[in-house]
């Protein structure tokens, strides 16, 4: 049954829901719909189902019932299905070269491991999707763990999606875009991307018309996760960007045609530091009620999985560029204010060994804390001023609280409780850093600035 909830802070969804790879679209009813994968596994990405997230005001949200099931896709594991061409081991990209060397250092044969994975039986996992509306129908484009790609249709943006059709391509991370003239374009790929015009039925294309290498790792730092938008007369190709060595960033390239050529522009957001194991990113940009946002994910629990939907406002400058923004706890809402509870799982950056993890049967706290670790919460704000801070959790320790890099208080935690007054009233907007000087089985459930 669909679940409704209120949220303005990151992560957006209730903790039991993990929706990464977020493609956000405002549909003709004026509401925002977010299409993504659905993490449920401990050791692999995604699952056998999708759930659509929606909102009309970025405050009141709904997450729907399963909109598509992987086990119902009739062609899954068909050996004759189109396949991703895979890695060219004779000319590996710079990223693959780096991974090969890393695994050599670990005593692992990456090529043998990759080929074994390619040939092993796979569960019907549904990877990152996208969706678009045309003539009152909603077309969901999806990919699966056997490299197959397909499309399904619904009369509702929430699904369920039926009438599945296989597309004549293999790979991951489909993206859909309809230009002002009504022509639809389909994109997909990893390390190098592909694009093609869709036929008017929105469910087929001519394989001979596919254009390869629209963006690539070597020229555009492209890893995966294609997403296309148009702002003015400029086309924005957004994707997982590995300029900084691993694909934790969302970057973008721009062009004057939906099929390029594209010029690399930079990074919009980087989730590196959300968790000690942060590895990938995948998202989109969308304008909602006049404000542009970036939709992305952050992992948790000291794993690459359990990725959470997060949102940040962004700015499109007059020259068309997008300044990089930081991850925040605040999200699309206002900063945290006087007396407002900030949960430990809302930390937007960590260093050391600590991470957002399970601490009890149904809760997630900032946990696994060791001496020297830090955690960041952005932002708190008060015109009246903050006079002190309170911490609730378990264990004991000593925590220095920094506001905009300046020490503001020292918390001595005993039996999970601590409070301290500031030497002077703190007015304005602040980034909060917790620096853990001592930690004895310490976990943070919440903070409150008063």
């Amino acid at each position: 049954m669909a679940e409704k909830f209120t949220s303005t802070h990151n992560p957006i969804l209730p903790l039991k829901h993990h929706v990464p790879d977020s493609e956000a679209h405002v549909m003709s009813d004026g509401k925002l719909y977010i299409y993504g994968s659905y993490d449920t596994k401990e050791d692999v990405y995604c699952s056998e189902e999708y759930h659509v997230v929606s909102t009309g005001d970025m405050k009141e949200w709904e997450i729907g019932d399963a909109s598509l099931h992987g086990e119902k896709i009739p062609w899954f594991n068909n050996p004759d299905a189109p396949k991703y061409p895979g890695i060219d081991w004779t000319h590996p990209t710079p990223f693959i070269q780096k991974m090969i060397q890393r695994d050599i250092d670990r005593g692992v044969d990456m090529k043998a491991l990759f080929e074994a994975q390619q040939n092993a039986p796979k569960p019907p996992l549904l990877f990152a999707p996208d969706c678009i509306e045309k003539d009152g129908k909603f077309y969901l484009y999806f990919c699966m763990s056997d490299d197959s790609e397909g499309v399904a249709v619904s009369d509702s943006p929430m699904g369920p999606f039926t009438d599945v059709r296989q597309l004549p391509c293999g790979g991951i991370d489909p993206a859909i875009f309809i230009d002002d003239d009504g022509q639809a374009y389909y994109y997909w790929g990893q390390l190098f991307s592909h694009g093609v015009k869709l036929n008017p039925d929105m469910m087929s294309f001519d394989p001979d018309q596919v254009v390869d290498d629209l963006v690539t790792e070597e020229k555009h730092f492209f890893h995966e996760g294609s997403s296309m938008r148009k702002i003015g007369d400029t086309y924005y190709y957004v994707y997982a960007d590995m300029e900084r060595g691993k694909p934790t960033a969302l970057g973008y390239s721009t062009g004057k045609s939906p099929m390029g050529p594209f010029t690399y522009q930079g990074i919009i957001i980087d989730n590196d530091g959300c968790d000690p194991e942060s590895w990938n990113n995948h998202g989109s940009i969308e304008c909602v009620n006049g404000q542009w946002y970036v939709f992305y994910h952050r992992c948790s629990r000291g794993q690459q999985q359990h990725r959470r939907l997060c949102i940040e406002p962004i700015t499109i400058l007059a020259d068309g560029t997008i300044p990089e923004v930081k991850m925040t706890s605040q999200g699309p809402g206002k900063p945290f204010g006087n007396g407002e509870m900030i949960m430990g799982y809302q930390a937007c950056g960590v260093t050391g060994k600590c991470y957002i993890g399970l601490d009890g049967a149904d809760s997630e706290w900032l946990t696994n804390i060791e001496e020297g670790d830090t955690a960041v919460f952005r932002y708190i704000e008060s015109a009246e001023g903050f006079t002190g801070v309170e911490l609730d959790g378990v264990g004991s320790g000593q925590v220095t609280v920094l506001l905009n890099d300046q020490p503001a208080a020292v918390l001595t935690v005993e039996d999970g409780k601590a409070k301290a007054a500031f030497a002077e009233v703190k007015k304005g907007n602040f980034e909060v850093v917790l620096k853990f000087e001592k930690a004895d089985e310490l976990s943070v459930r919440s903070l409150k600035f008063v």
Side-chain angles (χ1 to χ4, degrees), residues 113-428:
L113 182 63
F114 178 84
E115 291 175 346
Q117 291 173 341
Q118 288 293 96
N119 296 324
K122 300 177 178 66
L125 301 179
L126 291 167
F127 293 163
D130 197 4
C131 184
I132 204 73
E133 178 182 5
K134 186 175 183 181
D135 299 331
K137 297 287 186 180
F138 299 87
Y139 297 86
L140 180 77
Y141 300 85
F142 61 93
C143 57
M144 302 190 71
S145 50
D146 67 345
D147 289 344
S148 66
E149 302 185 42
V151 57
V153 169
S154 177
D155 292 325
S156 166
M158 299 292 286
F161 294 90
T162 58
D163 189 21
V164 295
R165 308 281 183 88
Q166 187 174 4
L167 292 169
C169 59
I172 62 169
D173 298 351
I176 182 67
F177 168 75
I178 298 179
D179 209 349
D180 299 336
D181 61 2
Q183 176 62 57
Y185 295 84
Y186 184 73
Y187 306 88
W188 73 98
Q190 187 179 46
L191 303 178
F192 40 85
S193 73
H194 319 275
V196 67
K197 287 183 177 181
L198 279 183
N199 292 329
D201 65 2
M202 298 292 289
M203 304 183 80
S204 64
F205 63 80
D206 182 353
D208 292 333
Q209 298 302 310
V210 172
V211 178
D212 297 322
D213 299 337
L214 292 175
V215 290
T216 67
E217 179 195 328
E218 294 177 281
K219 291 184 178 180
H220 308 86
F221 304 105
F222 172 76
H223 184 69
E224 60 191 17
S226 298
S227 179
M228 182 64 70
R229 296 293 185 274
K230 186 179 184 181
I231 304 174
D233 62 354
T234 301
Y235 298 85
Y236 287 71
Y237 202 136
V238 178
Y239 48 83
D241 180 315
M242 52 177 307
E243 180 186 5
R244 295 171 180 167
K246 58 181 181 177
T248 53
L250 288 183
Y252 72 109
S253 294
T254 58
K256 293 302 180 181
S257 162
M259 299 297 280
F262 293 100
T263 301
Y264 181 70
Q265 298 293 347
I267 288 172
I268 302 171
I269 194 166
D270 191 344
N271 75 19
D272 189 32
C274 66
D275 184 277
E277 295 298 319
S278 61
W279 171 250
N280 80 341
N281 210 337
H282 183 165
S284 57
I285 61 173
E286 183 76 346
C287 188
V288 185
N289 299 324
Q291 171 65 56
W292 280 93
Y293 297 90
V294 60
F295 299 79
Y296 68 106
H297 64 241
R298 307 201 294 239
C299 62
S300 60
R301 301 189 191 178
Q303 297 177 317
Q304 294 179 16
Q305 292 78 34
H306 303 290
R307 298 165 296 171
R308 301 197 183 284
L309 170 63
C310 295
I311 305 171
E312 312 291 353
I314 59 173
T315 302
I316 314 294
L317 298 181
D319 64 0
T321 59
I322 305 174
E324 182 177 352
V325 296
K326 294 181 178 181
M327 295 184 289
T328 73
S329 311
Q330 174 184 331
K334 297 179 180 179
F336 292 88
N338 292 78
E340 187 174 359
M341 199 76 72
I342 308 173
M343 306 308 295
Y345 63 76
Q346 292 175 313
C348 57
V350 295
T351 67
K353 298 293 183 65
C354 66
Y355 56 80
I356 297 161
L358 292 172
D359 200 301
D362 57 358
S363 182
E364 290 196 6
W365 297 16
L366 182 63
T367 189
N368 200 52
I369 298 169
E370 295 187 2
E371 180 180 331
D373 291 355
T374 65
V376 181
F377 299 82
R378 302 184 183 102
Y379 294 95
I380 65 171
E381 185 174 82
S382 175
E384 299 79 21
F386 298 106
T387 59
V389 59
E390 300 176 4
L391 181 148
D392 179 62
V394 296
S396 61
Q398 183 173 300
V399 185
T400 298
V401 180
L402 296 94
L403 300 182
N404 290 349
D405 294 327
Q406 299 301 311
V410 176
L411 292 168
T412 300
V413 185
E414 296 180 352
D415 296 325
K417 308 290 184 182
K419 62 173 60 177
F422 298 146
E424 58 182 19
V425 176
K426 303 291 186 180
K427 296 183 180 181

